[in-house]
Each structure stands twice: as structure tokens, then as C-alpha cells.
Amino acid sequence: MDDPVASAHDERGVPQMKAWQFIGVGSPLTLRDVDVPEAGPGQVLIDVKASGLCHSDIGYLEGTITHLPFAPITLGHEMSGVIAQVGAGVTGFKIGQRVAIPSTLETPGNASDGGFAEYVVARQEHILGIPDDVDFVHAALAMDAGMTSYHAVRYGGTKQGTRIGIIGLGGLGFLGAQFALALGAEVYGVEINEDVWPRALDVGVADVARSIGEFADKNLEVIIDFAGFGTTTAEAFEAIGHGGTVVQVGLGRSTATISTWALLSKELRYLGSAGGTFDDVRAVLDLFSRNKVKPLLSTVSFEQIGEAIGRLERGRVDGRIVAVQH
């Protein structure tokens, strides 16, 4: 099989590539030379074009998320690119096809070497084609941030006319607000960073405040907590209308003290929402294709991933970061 990439070779004659790897809890993300992988049976090799940076990556580095199967391992679970090789038995995909990998615990960056590298291997059942009119940056973003936000909005029962509160207008919440708007909802946003307020109002959010309690008079039917700082969840229970649904997405804190009286007296539903489905991803890609959603994002180069992870860890990021590769 021909080398998929004109790259340096090591003393064994094996082609090499650069990869940002987790080497152990407490150690920084490290740029290393690693072997270029090959597609095995049922697998494809993807030439990575864009990789999203996620707070889960920080969790791995700090040890608060512990399910990585081995170390060192290349991180990056939100990616898009072009197929460079197909393994034996692969059907429905071909070299040169634009694809992406919806993030799950079984996909690259979580269960195997991920997309903070020039190339990544994935099983054919874990990938899907992306529309030609969606660029690689937005396609990568759709694989985790987009999927997770959209799933939470739909899981809460959002539809035309729903009065919904979105707590936290960062990368996920800003997407969630726009997904709710695209579904025809009346959206109220909560964000302590008031610099974001004009952007939220510009995309159609009805009003923005620092606390969901300020919208207690709106008889909100759904509240999605993309922040999850404990107090935000407690405030959601107090602010939601009778028979409403509170959806938990954010985990700024691992626990929250909620009012069981509010839960019972208002006959509320409290749902946890994590990840999403291929159908969610396709819906997000369609909205991106039709320019219905404008993510809050910035881009960096592949070489800047380590520095950008540091900024993300320190909370100095506005929205999502996507690394654009070769």
C-alpha cells in the first residue's frame, strides 16, 4: 500500500506525522512524532482538515474524566476531513470523500487516537458524509458541540412556539439558542458575560439577563442549563412554569441542590442530556448548510492547539475553538 502522505520517515522506514497527545494526568498536551496509521478491515483513514477543542479534553488532562483506554493517546474527538485510504470490506465510502465523525465514547479521541493529528483511523460505522456546502470547520463543530446542543433542545420537547430559557450562552448555549430559534421557539437567554448579549439579541433571542430568575414571569416551558454551576440549576427549578422541563447539559459543578417542592408542586420533568445521534448531526449540518445558525467560534492552526488548550483551561475563550489543519 502506498504511503497516504508525503511525510518524514523514521529509521524503520515508517511514515511519521505530528500529533498532540495526552501523556498522563497533570502533564500538558504534548506534540509528538507518531506513526501514520493505516486503515484496517472495515476502517477508513481520514486526512484531518479541522478539529474542535472541547472542555472534555481539559477533563482528560486534569484527570476529572478517566475513561481513556491507554496513554499516550492522541486527543481530539470533534473532527472532519477527507478519506485518504479505505480498508478491506468498506462499502459506501471512497477515497476523496468529505466525512466527519460524530463523537461518542467509542470513537477516535475518546476510545482511540483522535483528530489532533494529521491523520486518524475510524470504523466505517462511525463516520458519515458531509454536504459540499458545509465547510470543514463547521462540519467538525457539528460532530460534538452542534450535536450535543441540538439533541438537548429537541430532547426537551422544543417546537414551534415553545417558550424556552437557555442558561449559558457560550459555545454550546449560543448554538442551542439558535437551534431553538430555528425550531420556532421564543428564546430567553442567560449569560453573566454581558459582552455576549448583543450577539444573542442580534440572532433573535427575545431578551437576555444574568439570571433565569429574571424570566420567572414568562411561564417558561423548557429551560436548558448549559452552565451547570449548581445555582443555575436551582434557579431553573424556581423559574420554570408549571409542567415544564429542565434539561441538564452543563457540568460546571458535579452537584446541585434543587427544590423538591418545586419539582413536585409544579409537576416538573428533569432530564439529563449528553451527546446525540446521527440524525441530530444531520439536522445540524442541514441548518449550517442553509445558514440558519451562526456558531460563536474562533480558529487556530494545528501548531497552536497546545496553546489554545491552555486558553480554554484558563477560561479565556469566547465560544468554541476549531483547529484548521493542512
Side-chain angles (χ1 to χ4, degrees), residues 146-161:
M147 173 182 69
T148 300
S149 298
Y150 185 84
H151 181 78
V153 170
R154 292 306 304 263
Y155 192 40
T158 308
K159 58 185 183 298
Q160 180 75 36

Side-chain angles (χ1 to χ4, degrees), residues 60-256:
Y60 289 138
L61 294 170
E62 295 180 342
T64 55
I65 303 177
T66 60
H67 62 246
L68 289 176
F70 54 84
I73 183 173
T74 304
L75 295 187
H77 56 266
E78 188 179 66
M79 75 209 81
S80 62
V82 175
I83 294 179
Q85 282 182 347
V86 293
V90 172
T91 59
F93 296 99
K94 61 184 180 180
I95 291 175
Q97 185 173 354
R98 303 170 79 249
V99 295
I101 308 172
S103 178
T104 72
L105 294 180
E106 290 74 45
T107 52
N110 293 316
S112 59
D113 286 319
F116 292 166
E118 298 174 64
Y119 290 85
V120 66
V121 165
R123 296 199 57 78
Q124 63 175 339
E125 63 265 28
H126 290 156
I127 66 174
L128 79 168
I130 56 177
D132 289 338
D133 55 359
V134 176
D135 63 40
F136 289 115
V137 169
H138 286 79
L141 189 73
M143 296 303 110
D144 186 14
M147 173 182 69
T148 300
S149 298
Y150 185 84
H151 181 78
V153 170
R154 292 306 304 263
Y155 192 40
T158 308
K159 58 185 183 298
Q160 180 75 36
T162 299
R163 296 180 303 281
I164 182 171
I166 301 290
I167 301 176
L169 294 175
L172 289 179
F174 196 73
L175 280 168
Q178 292 182 81
F179 292 143
L181 288 166
L183 293 170
E186 180 180 323
V187 180
Y188 296 87
V190 172
E191 175 56 52
I192 60 174
N193 178 9
E194 296 184 15
D195 291 342
V196 178
W197 291 14
R199 300 175 190 166
L201 296 172
D202 186 57
V203 298
V205 172
D207 199 1
V208 190
R210 294 179 61 87
S211 169
I212 194 67
E214 296 187 42
F215 299 125
D217 61 341
K218 300 299 183 183
N219 193 28
L220 297 175
E221 300 165 273
V222 178
I223 296 176
I224 304 179
D225 186 1
F226 283 101
F229 282 102
T231 54
T232 56
T233 308
E235 290 169 354
F237 274 74
E238 297 296 339
I240 193 81
H242 188 276
T245 300
V246 177
V247 182
Q248 191 73 51
V249 180
L251 283 174
R253 298 288 183 273
S254 59
T255 60

